[in-house]
Amino acid sequence: MTDLNQAKIVLLGDANSGKTSIVQRYINKSYNDHSSPTIGSTYLTKIVDFDKKSIKLCIWDTAGQERYYSLAQNYAREAQVCVLVYDITSKDSFYNLDRWYNSIKDYLAENAIIAIVGNKHDLINKEAVPIEEVKNFAQIIGALYMRTSAKSGIGIEDMFIEICREFTGNP
Ligand code: GDP
Ligand code: MG
């Protein structure tokens, strides 16, 4: 397997936005309403077949250290994919994405894929930030924009498919 088929993916964003739940839903097909903030970082891998190629996804979840933006730089180093997660019911979690992005953007691999993910889509009736504003921010930083619910599972598989598609450069 060549390097090209291995993707380092980092998930960043405020505590409680659902990063760990997204990874758990994707890798273990499970969800826990009382997901506890893990201390340290979590590193998980999954091999997916995409467009007749195998891609090894190396997923870094920055558990429990969200207050330390500077630590994110270590996770982000040479990542090909950066997923910025916010909670659609929390304004702050969205506005902090700018800070997350600016903390790590110089550390990512060249031409890294950035994805903004609005999680907790099952709570759409409590959405806190107008979608136009989110899309506008995504456009400014050249990011994909997606929505997920780790709770219902909606959008989770699609999110990783979209990332693989971008990663392999296949439309
Ligand atoms: P992290 O700190 O970003 O890793 O967030 P967690 O994955 O630990 O999730 C924080 C809390 O939000 C937990 O109580 C989760 O059960 C809950 N949560 C995560 N994803 C969702 C979701 O899609 N919908 C709802 N309603 N709650 C969620
Ligand atoms: Mg976590």
Side-chain angles (χ1 to χ4, degrees):
M1 190 182 285
T2 66
D3 276 355
L4 197 72
N5 291 330
Q6 185 160 315
K8 177 177 175 184
I9 302 177
V10 286
L11 282 96
L12 296 171
D14 282 7
N16 207 44
S17 56
K19 302 179 295 298
T20 302
S21 299
I22 288 171
V23 177
Q24 286 308 315
R25 168 65 77 184
Y26 182 59
I27 305 275
N28 299 326
K29 310 271 176 263
S30 68
Y31 174 79
N32 180 351
D33 256 325
H34 307 286
S35 147
S36 56
T38 326
I39 303 303
S41 67
T42 315
Y43 170 72
L44 289 159
T45 62
K46 179 167 169 141
I47 296 177
V48 293
D49 291 319
F50 187 82
D51 192 39
K52 300 187 193 108
K53 292 186 204 91
S54 288
I55 306 172
K56 184 178 181 189
L57 304 180
C58 307
I59 305 172
W60 293 77
D61 176 17
T62 59
Q65 302 179 330
E66 287 91 341
R67 276 178 298 144
Y68 308 103
Y69 287 85
S70 58
L71 287 179
Q73 296 170 349
N74 294 325
Y75 295 112
R77 211 173 291 277
E78 291 305 314
Q80 284 97 349
V81 182
C82 174
V83 181
L84 298 170
V85 182
Y86 76 101
D87 167 354
I88 66 161
T89 72
S90 156
K91 267 195 168 68
D92 284 352
S93 74
F94 172 70
Y95 292 119
N96 284 337
L97 290 188
D98 191 42
R99 191 164 168 201
W100 282 111
Y101 175 69
N102 283 303
S103 307
I104 54 86
K105 67 177 193 316
D106 296 335
Y107 294 81
L108 300 172
E110 219 175 309
N111 300 320
I113 298 153
I114 318 275
I116 292 174
V117 172
N119 187 44
K120 308 198 184 179
H121 189 61
D122 54 290
L123 302 176
I124 186 78
N125 56 335
K126 292 186 191 153
E127 184 159 46
V129 184
I131 194 158
E132 291 72 28
E133 197 174 339
V134 182
K135 284 185 175 166
N136 191 39
F137 175 62
Q139 201 179 356
I140 289 168
I141 68 168
L144 302 166
Y145 169 60
M146 299 173 238
R147 299 177 143 218
T148 56
S149 168
K151 185 167 186 168
S152 75
I154 278 180
I156 301 284
E157 197 75 31
D158 287 351
M159 165 188 152
F160 285 93
I161 289 172
E162 187 73 12
I163 284 169
C164 290
R165 184 179 292 133
E166 285 287 320
F167 181 69
T168 58
N170 268 322

